[in-house]
């Protein structure tokens, strides 16, 4: 940490913990320790494009808080690793790839949210594929599904919600 940066951090901490010198020292020690751990992580991952993307995003979000930077970097790295390994044999590959591409577009710098989105969208895609309702003729149900797909092409959670709402409404109208 540069001397100027250390001075900035001390100033921030002094404002935050004005009369509590013990907390100032504790916070400063934690900030320095976290900063040093981030630097060690950088050395281990110097050629890693994903790592550099994470660090850039995190340092913008938590500019003056190295503890939060370190925590977020570690969580993002875990999620990025899980993303590279993620498969789902319960939905067709073309749907999974579409979901992954949408998650990447929506959450370009947030691997945790990409992973979360992919998992949730995959669950919903499976439910959309499997959705049946004995009370609705197949041609009507297929039309409801097609309309939901048209309206929410890249959002399986919304497709599922729309299918359920439309199915329920059709049944009530046709009692």
């Amino acid at each position: 940490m540069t001397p100027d940066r250390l001075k900035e951090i001390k100033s921030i901490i002094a404002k935050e913990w004005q009369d509590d010198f013990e907390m100032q020292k504790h916070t400063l020690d934690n900030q320095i320790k976290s900063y040093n751990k981030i630097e060690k992580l950088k050395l281990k991952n110097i050629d890693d494009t994903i790592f550099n993307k994470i660090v850039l995003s995190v340092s913008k979000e938590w500019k003056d808080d190295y503890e939060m930077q370190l925590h977020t970097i570690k969580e993002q790295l875990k999620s990025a690793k899980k993303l590279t390994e993620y498969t789902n044999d319960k939905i067709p590959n073309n749907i999974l790839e579409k979901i992954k591409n949408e998650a990447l577009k929506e959450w370009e710098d947030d691997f945790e949210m990409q992973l979360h989105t992919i998992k949730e969208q995959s669950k919903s895609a499976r439910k959309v594929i499997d959705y049946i309702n004995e009370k609705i003729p197949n041609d009507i149900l297929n039309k409801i599904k097609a309309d939901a797909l048209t309206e929410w092409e890249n959002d399986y959670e919304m497709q599922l919600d729309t299918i359920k709402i439309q199915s329920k409404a059709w049944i009530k109208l046709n009692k």
Side-chain angles (χ1 to χ4, degrees), residues 132-160:
I132 56 171
N133 192 318
E134 304 288 328
K135 297 177 182 176
I136 302 173
N138 280 339
D139 60 326
I140 302 290
L141 184 57
N142 288 338
K143 175 78 170 104
I144 290 171
K145 284 183 172 185
D147 289 348
L149 174 63
T150 300
E151 186 176 358
W152 303 103
E153 180 182 356
N154 298 316
D155 190 335
Y156 292 93
E157 290 177 293
M158 289 304 297
Q159 285 180 36
L160 182 60

Side-chain angles (χ1 to χ4, degrees), residues 136 163-175:
I136 302 173
I163 291 166
K164 287 178 177 181
I165 290 168
Q166 292 290 12
S167 296
K168 193 175 189 178
W170 188 91
I171 291 166
K172 284 186 179 188
L173 285 170
N174 291 281
K175 276 188 175 181

Side-chain angles (χ1 to χ4, degrees), residues 93-117:
N93 283 337
N94 64 320
I95 291 175
L96 181 58
E97 286 308 308
K98 186 176 176 182
I99 290 170
K100 285 180 175 182
N101 289 335
E102 285 300 313
L104 177 62
K105 274 195 277 185
E106 188 173 351
W107 302 103
E108 183 180 353
D109 294 331
D110 192 334
F111 298 98
E112 285 182 283
M113 282 305 298
Q114 284 180 38
L115 184 61
H116 171 76
T117 300

Side-chain angles (χ1 to χ4, degrees), residues 21-71:
F21 303 109
E22 183 181 4
M23 276 307 294
Q24 286 183 36
K25 183 184 177 326
H26 172 76
T27 303
L28 181 62
D29 289 346
N30 286 343
Q31 290 295 313
I32 292 169
K33 188 186 329 177
S34 296
Y35 177 88
N36 290 334
K37 286 181 180 180
I38 292 169
E39 290 302 306
K40 286 179 185 173
L41 281 174
K42 282 182 184 177
L43 292 174
K44 289 181 189 175
N45 294 286
I46 195 118
D47 294 327
D48 190 345
T49 305
I50 290 174
F51 182 80
N52 292 333
K53 188 177 196 177
I54 290 169
V55 169
L56 181 63
S57 174
V58 167
S59 63
K60 287 178 187 173
E61 184 177 359
W62 300 104
K63 181 182 179 289
D64 296 320
D65 190 339
Y66 293 106
E67 285 182 278
M68 282 305 298
Q69 284 185 31
L70 179 62
H71 169 76

Side-chain angles (χ1 to χ4, degrees), residues 6-16:
L6 183 59
K7 189 176 176 180
E8 280 179 62
I9 296 297
K10 283 181 177 182
S11 174
I12 292 166
I13 292 168
K15 286 177 188 168
E16 189 175 335

